[in-house]
Amino acid sequence: MIAWSSVTLDNLDIQNEADKAHRQGCISPETQEAIRKAHPVDLYTPNLVIRIGLFLLTCIVIAFTSGFFLLLALGSDTATGFRVAVILASLLCIGVLEFAISQKKPYRSGINEALLWSAVGLFCCGIFIENYDLSENAWALTVLILTALGTLRYADMVSSAVAYLAFLLLVFWQVMKIPYGTAVMPFLLMGISLAVYLASSRLVKRRALRHYSDCLTVLRVLSLITLYMAGNYFVVRETNSMLLMPEAPTDIPAGWLFWALTVIIPPLYIYLGVRKKDAVLLRTGVILVAMIVFTIRHYHSVMPLETAMAIGGLVLTGGAWALIRYLHTPKNGFTYAPSDEAGMADQLKVESLIIAQTFPPTARPADTHPNFGGGSGGGGGASGDF
């Protein structure tokens, strides 16, 4: 299903692991070069600066090409001509992307992302242009299908994130149509987010899905964030006020429960992250602590904003300094040093694979009979040449 060869992607993982081992001084440059020769990669993956430049350049080319198609459709009196032109431009983007992958093999080069995202955007524009009677469900379902296909074919992280959000939006509009949908909405979204997190945490460990590990990691992070946002007091109250019940009372039913969820969930993420040594849980919890402060301050202001920011900055700076000092010597599996967290290639037993394929055993001739040498001396047959 994925556009690139699985063997090539595996070799890329192995080369990345070998480069990391070389940077850490675990292997010599000769060994690193031998590994790269034993596991060749013919993908084009430029650095970040070139990747951004190629992305912008490809977007400019797509814009000019799409404009050319729209100029050809100017003679049409209805939106049908524009719709056909935009959809043709979208299909052309996919065709160029497939051709480029088959011939030049770009991988996370900026070209892939520009062509894929442009294709999805143009196709959506072609479907929705002047279709004012389409429901929100049709919008969400169309985006979900297109981005899900893009994720499966190209393992694109942005597509996986958009697909997940489109799925939540589809659930949101569906539940809004049922009685008491407003009351059950936060808990339903929290349940879906938790299920997605647990499922992606299990799937990311499967070898068959190793090339989608980054997409699954994005789903893990997003599901943790949406789980918290669905139970956050500020989000629930403001959503009810703006979309669901414009004339609702100032407070929401079971407000104390949402206040409790607002305060408890981020520290729970941090605790589970420390206990399981899970960087995704730990970092997400630390980030969401800021949402606790924002929510509390939005409804209960205890000091001027400038004073609160100054005190918060001092606390964070002091805490970071103390934590750096404490973790200068690794403790309980945590360290201040840069992370060397095992990548997907470690699940393929990279060390044994590299040794086996890079340094094959030398064949030895079989001994068919004992060889005791000559016998130039007299007597026993053994000489000084033995």
Side-chain angles (χ1 to χ4, degrees), residues 335-349:
T335 178
Y336 172 62
S339 174
D340 290 328
E341 190 174 276
M344 185 57 60
D346 291 328
Q347 300 182 15
L348 304 177
K349 306 299 182 184

Side-chain angles (χ1 to χ4, degrees), residues 22 129 149 172 182 254:
H22 176 258
I129 186 171
L149 292 176
F172 178 86
T182 304

Side-chain angles (χ1 to χ4, degrees), residues 47-118:
N47 58 44
L48 181 60
V49 176
I50 297 178
R51 182 178 178 181
I52 295 174
L54 290 176
F55 177 84
L56 296 176
L57 180 61
T58 307
C59 289
I60 293 173
V61 173
I62 293 172
F64 277 103
T65 306
S66 302
F68 175 74
F69 277 97
L70 292 177
L71 287 175
L72 295 179
L74 284 178
S76 177
D77 297 332
T78 63
T80 304
F82 286 94
R83 182 178 295 111
V84 172
V86 172
I87 292 179
L88 286 178
S90 172
L91 297 178
L92 180 61
C93 289
I94 292 297
V96 172
L97 177 57
E98 289 290 333
F99 177 79
I101 291 175
S102 63
Q103 298 298 320
K104 301 299 182 180
K105 296 180 174 57
Y107 179 72
R108 296 181 178 178
S109 63
I111 300 174
N112 311 62
E113 292 81 357
L115 289 171
L116 176 60
W117 301 346
S118 299

